[in-house]
Amino acid sequence: MQMNILIVDDLHEVFLEKLDQAKIPYNYQPEITREEAEQLIPEYEGLVIRSKFQVDSDFIDLGSKLKLIGRSGAGMDNIDEAYADSKGIALFSANDGNKDAVGEHMIGMLLSLMNNLRRGDQEVRSEKWLREENRGYELKGRTVAIIGYGHNGQAMAKKLSGFEVKVIAYDKYKTGFSDQYAREVSMEEVVKLADVLSFHIPLTRETKGMVDEEYLFHFRKPIFFLMGARGGIAQIPAVLKYLDQGKILGAAFDVLPIEKFPTLAEQAWYKDLISRDNVLLSPHVAGWTFESYYKLSSFLAEKIIAYIKK
Protein backbone atom coordinates (compact mmCIF):
# COMPACT_ATOMS: atom_id res chain seq x y z
CA MET A 1 0.00 0.00 0.00
CA GLN A 2 1.37 3.42 -0.96
CA MET A 3 1.43 5.66 2.09
CA ASN A 4 2.89 9.06 2.87
CA ILE A 5 2.31 10.18 6.45
CA LEU A 6 2.01 13.67 7.90
CA ILE A 7 3.08 13.77 11.57
CA VAL A 8 1.76 16.89 13.31
CA ASP A 9 2.84 16.27 16.92
CA ASP A 10 5.96 15.58 18.94
CA LEU A 11 6.70 11.83 18.98
CA HIS A 12 9.59 9.82 20.34
CA GLU A 13 12.31 9.31 17.76
CA VAL A 14 11.66 5.56 17.81
CA PHE A 15 8.53 6.21 15.73
CA LEU A 16 10.57 7.81 12.95
CA GLU A 17 13.24 5.12 13.19
CA LYS A 18 10.68 2.37 12.69
CA LEU A 19 9.12 4.14 9.69
CA ASP A 20 12.59 4.62 8.19
CA GLN A 21 13.36 0.92 8.63
CA ALA A 22 10.06 0.03 6.94
CA LYS A 23 10.80 2.55 4.14
CA ILE A 24 7.55 4.42 4.73
CA PRO A 25 7.80 8.11 3.74
CA TYR A 26 6.70 10.78 6.20
CA ASN A 27 6.81 14.50 6.89
CA TYR A 28 7.60 15.21 10.54
CA GLN A 29 6.20 18.62 11.51
CA PRO A 30 5.87 18.68 15.34
CA GLU A 31 5.52 22.48 15.48
CA ILE A 32 2.85 22.75 12.80
CA THR A 33 -0.44 24.56 13.50
CA ARG A 34 -3.85 23.28 12.50
CA GLU A 35 -4.09 25.93 9.82
CA GLU A 36 -0.78 24.83 8.34
CA ALA A 37 -1.79 21.18 8.57
CA GLU A 38 -5.00 21.97 6.69
CA GLN A 39 -2.90 23.18 3.78
CA LEU A 40 -0.78 20.03 3.70
CA ILE A 41 -3.19 17.21 4.51
CA PRO A 42 -4.73 16.89 1.00
CA GLU A 43 -1.41 15.42 -0.18
CA TYR A 44 -1.14 12.68 2.46
CA GLU A 45 -2.59 9.21 2.93
CA GLY A 46 -1.79 9.08 6.64
CA LEU A 47 -2.02 11.41 9.64
CA VAL A 48 -0.40 10.92 13.06
CA ILE A 49 -1.26 13.16 15.99
CA ARG A 50 -1.27 13.21 19.78
CA SER A 51 -3.58 15.91 21.15
CA LYS A 52 -2.60 19.07 19.28
CA PHE A 53 -6.00 19.75 17.70
CA GLN A 54 -9.38 18.21 16.93
CA VAL A 55 -9.41 16.00 13.87
CA ASP A 56 -13.05 16.76 13.13
CA SER A 57 -15.16 16.17 10.04
CA ASP A 58 -13.99 19.42 8.45
CA PHE A 59 -10.35 18.43 8.77
CA ILE A 60 -11.03 14.88 7.60
CA ASP A 61 -12.81 16.22 4.52
CA LEU A 62 -9.66 18.14 3.61
CA GLY A 63 -7.71 14.87 3.66
CA SER A 64 -9.19 13.50 0.46
CA LYS A 65 -6.46 10.83 0.24
CA LEU A 66 -6.55 9.78 3.92
CA LYS A 67 -6.43 6.05 4.52
CA LEU A 68 -5.31 6.03 8.16
CA ILE A 69 -5.16 8.21 11.27
CA GLY A 70 -2.96 7.26 14.21
CA ARG A 71 -2.98 8.78 17.68
CA SER A 72 0.00 8.40 19.99
CA GLY A 73 -2.10 8.09 23.10
CA ALA A 74 -4.84 6.08 24.79
CA GLY A 75 -8.14 6.47 23.00
CA MET A 76 -9.24 8.66 20.11
CA ASP A 77 -10.72 11.55 22.08
CA ASN A 78 -9.73 14.31 19.66
CA ILE A 79 -10.69 12.38 16.52
CA ASP A 80 -14.20 12.07 15.08
CA GLU A 81 -14.15 8.28 14.99
CA ALA A 82 -17.62 7.81 13.53
CA TYR A 83 -16.96 10.18 10.66
CA ALA A 84 -13.55 8.66 9.94
CA ASP A 85 -15.13 5.20 9.92
CA SER A 86 -17.78 6.40 7.48
CA LYS A 87 -14.97 7.46 5.16
CA GLY A 88 -13.27 4.07 5.40
CA ILE A 89 -10.28 5.49 7.25
CA ALA A 90 -8.40 3.04 9.49
CA LEU A 91 -7.87 4.30 13.05
CA PHE A 92 -5.02 3.36 15.38
CA SER A 93 -4.19 4.35 18.94
CA ALA A 94 -1.61 3.14 21.44
CA ASN A 95 -3.82 2.21 24.37
CA ASP A 96 -1.31 -0.37 25.56
CA GLY A 97 1.56 2.13 25.56
CA ASN A 98 0.80 3.94 28.81
CA LYS A 99 -1.19 1.37 30.79
CA ASP A 100 1.66 0.74 33.25
CA ALA A 101 2.16 4.45 33.82
CA VAL A 102 -1.53 5.00 34.54
CA GLY A 103 -1.73 2.04 36.91
CA GLU A 104 1.29 3.14 38.93
CA HIS A 105 0.19 6.77 39.06
CA MET A 106 -3.34 6.01 40.27
CA ILE A 107 -2.11 3.57 42.93
CA GLY A 108 0.34 6.25 44.04
CA MET A 109 -2.50 8.77 44.34
CA LEU A 110 -4.60 6.23 46.27
CA LEU A 111 -1.84 5.50 48.79
CA SER A 112 -1.21 9.21 49.21
CA LEU A 113 -4.89 9.82 49.95
CA MET A 114 -5.17 6.91 52.37
CA ASN A 115 -2.12 8.02 54.32
CA ASN A 116 -2.60 11.81 54.21
CA LEU A 117 0.82 12.23 52.59
CA ARG A 118 0.10 15.61 51.02
CA ARG A 119 -1.28 17.12 54.21
CA GLY A 120 1.40 15.57 56.40
CA ASP A 121 4.15 16.89 54.16
CA GLN A 122 2.70 20.41 54.22
CA GLU A 123 2.31 20.35 57.98
CA VAL A 124 5.89 19.22 58.64
CA ARG A 125 7.12 21.96 56.33
CA SER A 126 5.04 24.37 58.46
CA GLU A 127 6.66 23.04 61.68
CA LYS A 128 3.58 21.05 62.73
CA TRP A 129 4.14 17.50 64.02
CA LEU A 130 0.62 16.01 64.08
CA ARG A 131 0.70 12.22 64.27
CA GLU A 132 -2.79 11.31 65.40
CA GLU A 133 -4.39 13.78 62.98
CA ASN A 134 -2.63 12.07 60.11
CA ARG A 135 -3.36 8.47 61.02
CA GLY A 136 -3.95 6.58 57.76
CA TYR A 137 -5.78 3.57 56.39
CA GLU A 138 -4.25 0.33 55.13
CA LEU A 139 -5.10 -0.90 51.65
CA LYS A 140 -4.73 -4.58 52.54
CA GLY A 141 -8.02 -6.44 52.83
CA ARG A 142 -10.08 -3.81 51.04
CA THR A 143 -12.12 -4.23 47.86
CA VAL A 144 -11.05 -2.19 44.84
CA ALA A 145 -13.67 -1.81 42.13
CA ILE A 146 -12.40 -1.13 38.62
CA ILE A 147 -14.83 0.35 36.11
CA GLY A 148 -13.69 -0.67 32.63
CA TYR A 149 -11.45 -3.69 32.10
CA GLY A 150 -9.46 -2.79 29.02
CA HIS A 151 -5.69 -2.22 28.86
CA ASN A 152 -5.61 0.30 31.72
CA GLY A 153 -8.08 -1.50 33.96
CA GLN A 154 -6.19 -4.77 33.56
CA ALA A 155 -2.86 -3.10 34.30
CA MET A 156 -4.31 -1.51 37.44
CA ALA A 157 -5.63 -4.86 38.64
CA LYS A 158 -2.31 -6.58 38.01
CA LYS A 159 -0.38 -3.95 39.94
CA LEU A 160 -2.80 -4.21 42.86
CA SER A 161 -2.22 -7.94 43.17
CA GLY A 162 0.68 -7.49 45.59
CA PHE A 163 -1.37 -5.43 48.03
CA GLU A 164 -3.54 -8.35 49.21
CA VAL A 165 -6.76 -6.66 48.15
CA LYS A 166 -9.89 -8.02 46.50
CA VAL A 167 -10.22 -6.62 42.99
CA ILE A 168 -13.60 -6.64 41.29
CA ALA A 169 -14.28 -5.25 37.83
CA TYR A 170 -17.31 -4.11 35.88
CA ASP A 171 -17.31 -3.58 32.13
CA LYS A 172 -20.58 -2.93 30.33
CA TYR A 173 -19.18 -4.10 27.01
CA LYS A 174 -17.33 -7.27 28.05
CA THR A 175 -18.26 -10.55 29.69
CA GLY A 176 -16.32 -13.58 30.84
CA PHE A 177 -13.17 -11.58 31.60
CA SER A 178 -12.45 -12.74 35.14
CA ASP A 179 -8.76 -13.57 35.54
CA GLN A 180 -6.17 -14.09 38.26
CA TYR A 181 -6.18 -10.36 39.04
CA ALA A 182 -9.88 -9.40 39.06
CA ARG A 183 -13.31 -10.94 39.35
CA GLU A 184 -16.03 -9.84 36.95
CA VAL A 185 -19.07 -8.49 38.79
CA SER A 186 -22.31 -6.62 38.15
CA MET A 187 -22.70 -2.94 38.96
CA GLU A 188 -24.96 -4.01 41.84
CA GLU A 189 -22.01 -5.82 43.39
CA VAL A 190 -19.72 -2.85 42.80
CA VAL A 191 -21.92 -0.46 44.79
CA LYS A 192 -22.32 -3.04 47.55
CA LEU A 193 -18.69 -4.12 47.96
CA ALA A 194 -16.39 -1.27 46.87
CA ASP A 195 -14.00 0.44 49.27
CA VAL A 196 -12.11 2.02 46.38
CA LEU A 197 -13.62 3.07 43.04
CA SER A 198 -11.30 3.53 40.06
CA PHE A 199 -12.34 4.49 36.52
CA HIS A 200 -10.73 3.19 33.33
CA ILE A 201 -13.29 3.93 30.61
CA PRO A 202 -13.31 6.22 27.56
CA LEU A 203 -15.31 9.43 27.29
CA THR A 204 -18.32 8.78 25.06
CA ARG A 205 -21.83 10.16 24.76
CA GLU A 206 -22.89 7.45 27.18
CA THR A 207 -20.19 8.06 29.80
CA LYS A 208 -20.12 11.86 29.69
CA GLY A 209 -21.27 13.10 33.09
CA MET A 210 -22.36 9.63 34.18
CA VAL A 211 -20.81 9.96 37.65
CA ASP A 212 -23.47 12.22 39.13
CA GLU A 213 -25.30 12.38 42.45
CA GLU A 214 -27.57 9.48 41.50
CA TYR A 215 -24.61 7.29 40.52
CA LEU A 216 -22.72 7.90 43.75
CA PHE A 217 -25.80 7.69 45.97
CA HIS A 218 -26.01 3.91 45.63
CA PHE A 219 -22.62 3.05 47.14
CA ARG A 220 -23.10 1.27 50.45
CA LYS A 221 -19.72 2.02 52.07
CA PRO A 222 -17.54 5.14 52.24
CA ILE A 223 -15.15 5.00 49.26
CA PHE A 224 -11.93 6.41 47.96
CA PHE A 225 -12.62 7.83 44.50
CA LEU A 226 -10.04 7.70 41.68
CA MET A 227 -10.52 9.40 38.32
CA GLY A 228 -7.67 8.78 35.90
CA ALA A 229 -9.74 8.15 32.78
CA ARG A 230 -11.36 11.26 31.28
CA GLY A 231 -12.46 14.36 33.16
CA GLY A 232 -15.84 14.64 31.50
CA ILE A 233 -17.00 11.37 33.06
CA ALA A 234 -17.43 12.85 36.55
CA GLN A 235 -19.59 15.75 37.66
CA ILE A 236 -17.36 17.51 40.18
CA PRO A 237 -20.19 19.03 42.27
CA ALA A 238 -21.54 15.52 42.90
CA VAL A 239 -18.16 14.36 44.19
CA LEU A 240 -17.88 17.44 46.40
CA LYS A 241 -21.35 16.77 47.86
CA TYR A 242 -20.40 13.25 48.91
CA LEU A 243 -17.04 14.40 50.25
CA ASP A 244 -19.03 16.73 52.50
CA GLN A 245 -21.23 13.86 53.63
CA GLY A 246 -18.31 11.51 54.27
CA LYS A 247 -19.54 9.06 51.66
CA ILE A 248 -16.33 9.74 49.74
CA LEU A 249 -13.32 9.63 52.09
CA GLY A 250 -10.91 11.07 49.56
CA ALA A 251 -10.81 11.80 45.84
CA ALA A 252 -7.94 11.81 43.35
CA PHE A 253 -8.22 13.42 39.94
CA ASP A 254 -5.58 13.21 37.25
CA VAL A 255 -8.18 14.52 34.81
CA LEU A 256 -10.83 17.22 35.15
CA PRO A 257 -13.71 18.34 32.91
CA ILE A 258 -11.74 21.50 32.12
CA GLU A 259 -7.95 21.22 31.96
CA LYS A 260 -6.62 24.59 30.85
CA PHE A 261 -6.03 27.79 32.77
CA PRO A 262 -7.49 30.36 33.15
CA THR A 263 -10.74 28.56 32.21
CA LEU A 264 -10.28 25.88 34.90
CA ALA A 265 -9.95 28.49 37.64
CA GLU A 266 -13.18 30.11 36.44
CA GLN A 267 -15.28 27.01 37.13
CA ALA A 268 -17.80 27.41 39.95
CA TRP A 269 -16.49 24.30 41.72
CA TYR A 270 -12.75 24.97 41.37
CA LYS A 271 -12.06 26.87 44.61
CA ASP A 272 -14.05 24.35 46.62
CA LEU A 273 -12.17 21.45 45.04
CA ILE A 274 -8.68 22.82 45.69
CA SER A 275 -9.50 23.88 49.26
CA ARG A 276 -9.83 20.27 50.46
CA ASP A 277 -6.93 18.32 51.93
CA ASN A 278 -8.62 15.01 51.07
CA VAL A 279 -8.53 15.82 47.36
CA LEU A 280 -5.40 15.12 45.32
CA LEU A 281 -4.86 16.58 41.86
CA SER A 282 -2.35 16.06 39.05
CA PRO A 283 -2.28 17.73 35.59
CA HIS A 284 -3.30 14.82 33.33
CA VAL A 285 0.09 13.15 33.55
CA ALA A 286 -0.83 9.66 34.79
CA GLY A 287 -0.05 8.16 31.41
CA TRP A 288 2.81 10.50 30.56
CA THR A 289 6.13 9.14 31.80
CA PHE A 290 9.56 9.01 30.17
CA GLU A 291 8.94 5.32 29.52
CA SER A 292 5.42 5.73 28.13
CA TYR A 293 6.65 8.43 25.73
CA TYR A 294 8.78 5.72 24.12
CA LYS A 295 6.19 2.94 24.31
CA LEU A 296 3.33 5.02 22.89
CA SER A 297 5.38 5.90 19.82
CA SER A 298 6.85 2.43 19.41
CA PHE A 299 3.55 0.54 19.68
CA LEU A 300 1.77 2.96 17.34
CA ALA A 301 4.51 2.64 14.73
CA GLU A 302 4.27 -1.15 14.83
CA LYS A 303 0.49 -1.07 14.33
CA ILE A 304 0.72 1.35 11.41
CA ILE A 305 3.53 -0.56 9.72
CA ALA A 306 1.66 -3.85 10.06
CA TYR A 307 -1.41 -2.27 8.45
CA ILE A 308 0.53 -0.78 5.55
CA LYS A 309 2.57 -3.90 4.87
CA LYS A 310 -0.29 -6.41 5.04
Side-chain angles (χ1 to χ4, degrees), residues 179-215:
D179 57 25
Q180 62 181 309
Y181 303 114
R183 178 172 65 89
E184 177 185 359
V185 298
S186 65
M187 195 61 202
E188 288 74 18
E189 289 177 275
V190 167
V191 300
K192 179 181 178 181
L193 300 174
D195 297 298
V196 177
L197 182 65
S198 185
F199 290 87
H200 302 269
I201 54 178
L203 180 63
T204 65
R205 290 176 182 174
E206 187 174 18
T207 63
K208 184 176 176 62
M210 77 175 218
V211 181
D212 56 12
E213 290 187 20
E214 173 67 19
Y215 185 96

Side-chain angles (χ1 to χ4, degrees), residues 235-264:
Q235 296 184 22
I236 304 299
V239 177
L240 294 173
K241 174 182 176 177
Y242 288 112
L243 281 165
D244 285 338
Q245 294 183 6
K247 195 161 189 174
I248 296 178
L249 299 172
F253 295 90
D254 179 57
V255 291
L256 291 168
I258 304 294
E259 296 191 347
K260 299 290 183 181
F261 288 103
T263 310
L264 173 55

